[in-house]
Amino acid sequence: YGHAMAYDSGRNRTVLFGGLNGSYLGDTWEWNGATAAWTQVASTGPQSRYEHAMAYDSSRNRTVLFGGLNGSYLGDTWELTAPPTGPTGPTADIAYTAIPTSQTPPPVTAHAAAALPCCGTLLFGGTTGSTLPMLTYELQNGSWSKQFSIINPATRANASLLLDPVRGNNLMFGGQNPVGTALNDTWTYLGGQWTYLPLATAPSPRSLHRMTYDSAQQQGILFGGKDANNAPLDDQWLWNGTGWAITNPATRPPARFAHGLAYDAFRSRTVLFGGQNATTLLDDVWEYNNLTWSQITPTPPTPPQTGTYGPSARALFGMAYDQKSERVMILGGDTATGCQDDAWSWDGVGFVRHNSTNTIPNARNGAQLFYNETSNQLNLLAGGCGTIYNNDLWSIDLPVFWRSSTFGAGCAPLSGITPTLSPVPNTSGVIGNTFAVRLANLPNVLTVTVPFFGFSNTNWGALPLPLPLATFGLPGCTLYADPIYNSFLLAFTGSIDWNIPIPNNAGLIGFNLYFQSLVVDPLSGNPFGGVTTNAVSLRIGNR
């Protein structure tokens, strides 16, 4: 008895430490809930004790222990971090869900797949092991349907396909025909029909190249591949919606094929990982900022790990940016030891390896990993290993890390003191927790405040944001958040906190909220009689 327990929401574990059982105990245990089993954590830690206190700090992913009794009163503070798993560092939870479909295409690998502009999934080509079928399939509402275009691309494998959301179509380039000839034709797909674009300037014939879409620059990016003589390539091309242009920065990744390429929209970077050159599997990481490439050395987690931390050298893996988790994910592929089923995410600094307690896709290569914005899901489609080919479809849920920041500027009253809005230290944007913002720099008298929040920082109805408020009697003030939900708070001192409970609803994960406040001030010096603060953004997560 006298032990302490805390729930680690970062890893879905309940942690137990110490207690009294005829003698003082100093053991640490974890309960995972999924397999209904306790596991003792083998680590050094606090001395044996009982009647101590423990709590989980979700903002820093730490379990904190303080005090207790061990013949005398204790006043020490300890923190328990997630223990490393094996030589590759810590793990995080990931959930796979097999999506049942009807009229499913034959099992394939080396196919091309992408989300469709409006909804659903587009599948083209690939190999069944014995043939390269000429097929175009669309998936809508769980049902696949074969499409019949007036003209069709030639049968191929190892092409690359992307979604161009600005032009509202899909772009496909290159690949190999059934006799292994490399292709360099450009096609777009819209409304069930393929259109061939006979372009004077285009990348050379190739296969196993990779493409991604840069949403900030509104352009497609193609890098590398294998040419008609099976030699790796290191050239880079940009697609503007109607044509190709070569752009080869002086510093760029070495030649390769069967690599991964994904655009990280949160950090405005194109990320490249791994692949293969003429003789060797690769595990290097490169990022492109629309001007130049830089090689990135992944940072090991805390505590430091020995050796290189991250996925092993590999080719033919799935790689895509997950908008919900704001991470680039790498899944499976071929390594020196064969087909893999491991999953990793990249945040721009280091890798995290993800484990799952539920059923996962079997080890495979040549699978297509892509983000479906309509369903807000990361999807994995088909792929194979050896003589095994798949036609399965999976959705993948990664941990979503909450974040918050301030932006914009408040306006000053005649007193010259501008009220501010900021996240309360140690607040939490995790579902089921309470997020709090603090109004500060208020007059030290009774002050009426009207804090509000909404779901957009780009428009308020038909009005664009940020919106100057001079026409509303607030010259010099700006509206940054759409005022959908508001409160009414009375401040008696120079600051007040507004607590906003976040429902424990998984549907909220990945949503953004934007906060601002109006402060009523008769001495503001403007017709309205008040001023506005800066703004706070919150992205809701489950970590």
Side-chain angles (χ1 to χ4, degrees), residues 130-455:
S130 58
T131 62
L132 271 66
M134 180 184 291
L135 54 86
T136 301
Y137 277 88
E138 285 190 15
L139 175 66
Q140 302 285 352
N141 300 318
S143 179
W144 288 98
S145 60
K146 192 168 185 178
Q147 302 299 300
F148 298 94
S149 178
I150 296 174
I151 60 171
N152 291 275
T155 301
R156 69 192 66 201
N158 294 317
S160 192
L161 180 69
L162 62 74
L163 166 64
D164 184 337
V166 172
R167 287 91 196 179
N169 60 21
N170 293 92
L171 170 74
M172 185 174 72
F173 179 83
Q176 291 173 305
N177 66 17
V179 296
T181 302
L183 307 170
N184 74 329
D185 46 348
T186 302
W187 293 80
T188 57
Y189 183 82
L190 176 64
Q193 297 296 310
W194 287 102
T195 300
Y196 170 62
L197 304 179
L199 303 173
T201 301
S204 59
R206 67 190 65 203
S207 62
L208 293 170
H209 51 292
R210 295 295 183 256
M211 299 195 305
T212 190
Y213 187 80
D214 180 337
S215 56
Q217 303 298 321
Q218 298 185 353
Q219 62 188 9
I221 300 177
L222 181 153
F223 186 88
K226 183 166 62 173
D227 70 10
N229 297 313
N230 292 322
L233 299 165
D234 70 345
D235 53 344
Q236 176 176 297
W237 293 77
L238 301 180
W239 172 257
N240 65 7
T242 58
W244 292 101
I246 190 168
T247 170
N248 283 333
T251 300
R252 60 185 185 273
R256 68 192 63 209
F257 57 89
H259 48 288
L261 194 70
Y263 180 72
D264 183 333
F266 175 58
R267 298 187 305 112
S268 300
R269 295 287 189 275
T270 297
V271 184
L272 180 148
F273 173 77
Q276 182 176 349
N277 60 25
T279 59
T280 307
L281 292 170
L282 306 170
D283 64 353
D284 49 345
V285 181
W286 292 76
E287 291 192 343
Y288 179 64
N289 64 1
N290 199 45
L291 293 173
T292 186
W293 285 94
S294 301
Q295 186 172 3
I296 310 297
T297 300
T299 300
T302 301
Q305 305 294 309
T306 59
T308 301
Y309 177 75
S312 55
R314 66 190 60 202
L316 294 172
F317 50 90
M319 178 165 157
Y321 175 69
D322 179 16
Q323 292 183 26
K324 186 190 293 185
S325 67
E326 297 180 327
R327 300 291 191 273
V328 172
M329 183 181 179
I330 295 168
L331 192 144
D334 270 339
T335 69
T337 59
C339 300
Q340 303 297 320
D341 63 1
D342 52 344
W344 300 79
S345 66
W346 169 256
D347 64 1
V349 177
F351 285 103
V352 171
R353 183 170 182 173
H354 299 270
N355 285 340
S356 177
T357 57
N358 64 345
T359 302
I360 67 173
N362 57 299
R364 64 188 68 192
N365 59 50
Q368 290 294 303
L369 190 66
F370 57 93
Y371 186 77
N372 191 325
E373 191 166 349
T374 303
S375 61
N376 200 27
Q377 288 181 333
L378 191 66
N379 288 147
L380 176 76
L381 175 63
C385 184
T387 58
I388 298 174
Y389 294 86
N390 302 291
N391 60 355
D392 48 350
L393 178 68
W394 297 77
S395 67
I396 303 171
D397 287 315
L398 289 167
V400 177
F401 296 87
W402 77 274
R403 57 178 170 81
S404 181
S405 62
T406 60
F407 64 100
C411 51
L414 287 178
S415 64
I417 301 176
T418 304
T420 60
L421 193 68
S422 62
V424 173
N426 298 320
T427 191
S428 174
V430 173
I431 56 173
N433 286 263
T434 297
F435 181 73
V437 290
R438 177 165 296 162
L439 275 156
N441 286 348
L442 302 175
N444 285 311
V445 295
L446 177 63
T447 304
V448 178
T449 66
V450 186
F452 56 86
F453 72 86
F455 300 102

Side-chain angles (χ1 to χ4, degrees), residues 480-495:
Y480 295 103
D482 57 332
I484 296 179
Y485 299 96
N486 62 71
S487 186
F488 181 86
L489 300 177
L490 294 177
F492 296 92
T493 59
S495 69

Side-chain angles (χ1 to χ4, degrees), residues 87-145:
T88 52
T91 65
D93 294 322
I94 183 173
Y96 296 91
T97 303
I99 302 175
T101 61
S102 60
Q103 304 180 66
T104 308
V108 292
T109 189
H111 51 295
L116 286 163
C118 67
C119 47
T121 300
L122 173 63
L123 164 67
F124 182 82
T127 175
T128 62
S130 58
T131 62
L132 271 66
M134 180 184 291
L135 54 86
T136 301
Y137 277 88
E138 285 190 15
L139 175 66
Q140 302 285 352
N141 300 318
S143 179
W144 288 98
S145 60

